[in-house]
Amino acid sequence: MAPRWKWKGAEAKALAEPISKSVSELQLSLAKTESTGSLSSCNVLLAVEPEQAELLDRCCFGRLVLSAEKVKKWIQLSFEEAFYLLYILKCIKLSRQGRFLESEVEIWMYMRTKRPNFPVFFKAYSHLRSKNWVLRSGLQYGVDFVAYRHHPSLVHSEYSVLVQSGDSDRLRVWSDVHCAVRLSGSVAKTLLALHVSGNSNREDLNLPTCLGNYRVEEQTISRWSPELSREDDETTSPKPKVTNVSNLKTP
Amino acid sequence: MEEECWEASSSSETEEAWFAADDDEEFHSGPKLQFRVGSSKARWVTELGMAEVEVKRGKLWTTTGIVRTGKTYCFIEEALYLSEIGELQILSDDDAVIPLKGLYEMVAEEKSGCCWESYEVYRYLKGLGYILGRHRVPWTSKGAEIMTPSGEEEDSVTKLLGDMLLSDARAVFDVYLPNSRFKKSSPGEPSFVACLSGDSPPSKDDVRALQSRIAAPLRFCHISQGRVSFFSFSSIDLPVLP
């Protein structure tokens, strides 16, 4: 499926401002101001300068929390987004209940406790993010993430992403497959399953370094319609619609 | 339709030598499933788990049945499909016509390498004009170099049936796009291979294992309430973006 750019000139704009460049700018800016986010049981709240808020938006990290405050902007980050900025880009720090959190391991453990599937989800998230794909929540589409080739204002997302690990029960029955594929198709996206494997040794999961042991395999799942595909083979002559075997007699 | 003589080993290998270019079909105005007198006839051979075609009518035989030493044989799904649409009568040893009920039972018994799910796939795609052959079963003897010590061709056919029902995820049919110029002697590569995966969708490893030995795209069939759906599970690698 080719990317669907939202307006004429969008593709050119995307080429001129690659995501990797925006991410680098963001990284530098946040590190410079030693931005610190506040960790709660389900997200991270980050106070930033207006320009930083703009950068975060450009890379699609977090959601702006609307408030009357003018000097600072408040951004709400998911665990994946926050940990990516903390652990991969190393441009933010975290605190909890006023206490500054020195240890990445402590943060990782905390997030894991709140969300047992966090390690697998984070691996999937960082796998695509590190390839410069833009990821956002896929809740509206019944999936885990939606993946964009660039900023959502420029392009429609191409993939709806489901994270699968060895012991997950996603897509284990056919009706799940029908459902997920149908949902994706109805919003013009391809269903992408990210299979995260490795790390069967439970103890390793206590450390973010376990991320190195994970492997991510990408798999698209799509439905094929036999009625629509009968004429797309260039080696055959175009066929009329055949409804029974006797039509084979006609030359 | 022209057919080259492709078999050097046996003079009667040519498929086309067998069929009468018989245009006695009156389908233009009649109902689709009109049973015709003088339709094809085949005899069921229990030891083979296949029917040996004795009388051929129509060009449908260019895309149905396998050829071995000049004879054409068809599998239960082919026999049943053609019987359902009134193109074929299957006879038992005593020349009695095996009724549809009997053929359905044979499919249900699953002793001829075809289960009901496979049959649904076969029937659905055939009805749309696709050409189907059992996976890894060559259309002609040229492709089947299997020789048993006794040299009997029948054994090679029987052996193929044993391969059919293995693991849960398995390749069932080689599927070709509708093609009026299809030749059993050189069918080319199938458009895709239809697979079944049992009760649940195939695991990533099942897909990988099958795809590693099959060049053609795989499509997994889900049969439910008489409806057949096809899904592809394809490995990809999203590009690194700028």
Side-chain angles (χ1 to χ4, degrees):
Chain A
M1 221 190 267
R4 296 181 303 133
W5 299 99
K6 283 186 172 172
W7 40 276
K8 195 171 160 183
E11 187 174 4
K13 183 166 198 252
L15 272 170
E17 295 166 22
I19 291 290
S20 56
K21 187 156 161 286
S22 304
V23 170
S24 295
E25 278 179 49
L26 172 71
Q27 188 179 21
L28 279 168
S29 174
L30 288 175
K32 203 161 98 169
T33 57
E34 294 182 357
S35 307
T36 304
S38 163
L39 178 62
S40 75
S41 61
C42 62
N43 64 16
V44 166
L45 276 175
L46 187 69
V48 292
E49 313 285 329
E51 313 83 61
Q52 291 172 322
E54 219 244 88
L55 277 170
L56 282 162
D57 176 75
R58 223 191 303 158
C59 309
C60 282
F61 279 98
R63 281 181 58 238
L64 183 67
V65 180
L66 291 171
S67 72
E69 196 169 337
K70 300 271 191 275
V71 180
K72 289 268 192 193
K73 298 280 187 187
W74 288 94
I75 306 290
Q76 185 175 287
L77 299 165
S78 68
F79 278 176
E80 282 84 4
E81 292 169 327
F83 203 75
Y84 193 82
L85 291 170
L86 172 97
Y87 188 73
I88 305 289
L89 298 181
K90 305 211 185 292
C91 57
I92 65 168
K93 305 251 185 274
L94 294 184
S95 68
R96 186 167 144 67
Q97 292 166 345
R99 187 175 63 89
F100 179 66
L101 299 168
E102 293 275 2
S103 156
E104 286 170 343
V105 176
E106 192 186 342
I107 297 168
W108 171 265
M109 283 295 294
Y110 178 81
M111 290 182 172
R112 256 202 76 206
T113 326
K114 293 300 171 191
R115 282 181 46 203
N117 60 15
F118 174 68
V120 168
F121 268 63
F122 180 74
K123 181 64 188 180
Y125 180 87
S126 65
H127 171 78
L128 286 183
R129 267 285 186 189
S130 57
K131 292 211 243 186
N132 296 315
W133 284 78
V134 171
L135 286 176
R136 277 182 144 183
S137 165
L139 208 59
Q140 283 176 282
Y141 307 105
V143 290
D144 299 324
F145 302 109
V146 280
Y148 296 79
R149 197 170 276 258
H150 204 277
H151 196 270
S153 64
L154 299 182
V155 69
H156 290 284
S157 63
E158 287 161 62
Y159 297 98
S160 46
V161 184
L162 273 180
V163 179
Q164 282 197 259
S165 61
D167 51 5
S168 81
D169 52 5
R170 323 289 286 291
L171 302 182
R172 283 292 190 248
V173 292
W174 278 112
S175 52
D176 286 345
V177 176
H178 279 267
C179 178
V181 171
R182 196 184 171 97
L183 247 178
S184 289
S186 68
V187 288
K189 299 180 205 314
T190 303
L191 181 63
L192 176 68
L194 290 181
H195 295 266
V196 183
S197 54
N199 275 328
S200 44
N201 182 353
R202 293 278 145 166
E203 270 152 46
D204 291 344
L205 292 176
N206 289 339
L207 301 170
T209 44
C210 75
L211 291 168
N213 298 332
Y214 277 131
R215 207 180 65 221
V216 181
E217 287 166 272
E218 302 166 10
Q219 183 191 57
T220 56
I221 303 173
S222 54
R223 184 163 175 182
W224 174 74
S225 169
E227 287 88 351
L228 303 176
S229 314
R230 283 172 289 176
E231 275 132 46
D232 60 359
D233 184 339
E234 68 274 12
T235 65
T236 65
S237 51
K239 287 291 295 175
K241 187 164 151 195
V242 181
T243 50
N244 67 47
V245 164
S246 67
N247 283 6
L248 285 168
K249 283 199 85 160
T250 56
Chain B
M1 279 182 61
E2 63 302 305
E3 287 289 335
E4 322 83 65
C5 182
W6 62 86
E7 295 289 355
S9 53
S10 162
S11 58
S12 55
E13 289 291 293
T14 318
E15 170 79 31
E16 306 315 299
W18 281 95
F19 77 65
D22 189 337
D23 273 328
D24 66 344
E25 290 183 320
E26 313 291 358
F27 269 59
H28 322 294
S29 49
K32 181 173 146 180
L33 299 182
Q34 186 176 350
F35 196 91
R36 307 178 305 118
V37 177
S39 65
S40 304
K41 292 194 194 346
R43 188 174 306 273
W44 189 259
V45 182
T46 313
E47 310 84 65
L48 290 182
M50 299 186 81
E52 185 182 323
V53 183
E54 294 179 352
V55 177
K56 280 186 192 170
R57 291 274 181 268
K59 290 194 175 179
L60 62 90
W61 294 106
T62 57
T63 54
T64 308
I66 62 173
V67 182
R68 297 289 186 273
T69 53
K71 295 185 191 163
T72 304
Y73 299 85
C74 58
F75 289 107
I76 184 66
E77 64 272 13
E78 296 172 307
L80 175 54
Y81 176 73
L82 293 179
S83 298
E84 274 188 338
I85 63 171
E87 287 279 357
L88 176 67
Q89 286 179 301
I90 306 287
L91 310 172
S92 56
D93 286 332
D94 55 6
D95 283 353
V97 176
I98 304 178
L100 277 182
K101 178 172 182 292
L103 297 173
Y104 288 138
E105 278 166 8
M106 285 159 77
V107 172
E109 274 169 13
E110 295 184 16
K111 284 196 203 136
S112 317
C114 180
C115 59
W116 188 255
E117 282 85 1
S118 303
Y119 181 63
E120 294 266 23
V121 174
Y122 184 86
R123 173 170 52 182
Y124 182 55
L125 290 177
K126 279 297 279 192
L128 291 171
Y130 289 86
I131 297 164
L132 282 86
R134 281 205 185 174
H135 180 62
R136 280 200 297 180
V137 175
W139 290 93
T140 64
S141 301
K142 189 173 78 157
E145 310 291 8
I146 305 159
M147 291 295 285
T148 62
S150 59
E152 285 178 32
E153 282 289 346
E154 281 75 20
D155 282 346
S156 69
V157 169
T158 318
K159 184 181 179 303
L160 294 167
L161 294 175
D163 281 337
M164 291 300 134
L165 302 163
L166 293 169
S167 64
D168 267 357
R170 62 196 194 279
V172 183
F173 297 115
D174 291 338
V175 185
Y176 303 81
L177 291 177
N179 179 3
S180 56
R181 295 194 294 267
F182 181 80
K183 290 185 184 27
K184 290 182 188 179
S185 55
S186 61
E189 291 305 311
S191 170
F192 70 93
V193 173
C195 304
L196 290 179
S197 66
D199 249 358
S200 1
S203 70
K204 159 180 70 90
D205 296 329
D206 282 344
V207 177
R208 199 200 302 129
L210 275 174
Q211 192 75 86
S212 66
R213 67 165 185 80
I214 300 172
L218 302 179
R219 291 196 175 122
F220 286 82
C221 315
H222 175 229
I223 298 90
S224 177
Q225 323 281 317
R227 290 172 65 113
V228 186
S229 318
F230 300 85
F231 290 93
S232 302
F233 297 81
S234 321
S235 279
I236 61 160
D237 195 11
L238 253 53
V240 176
L241 299 174

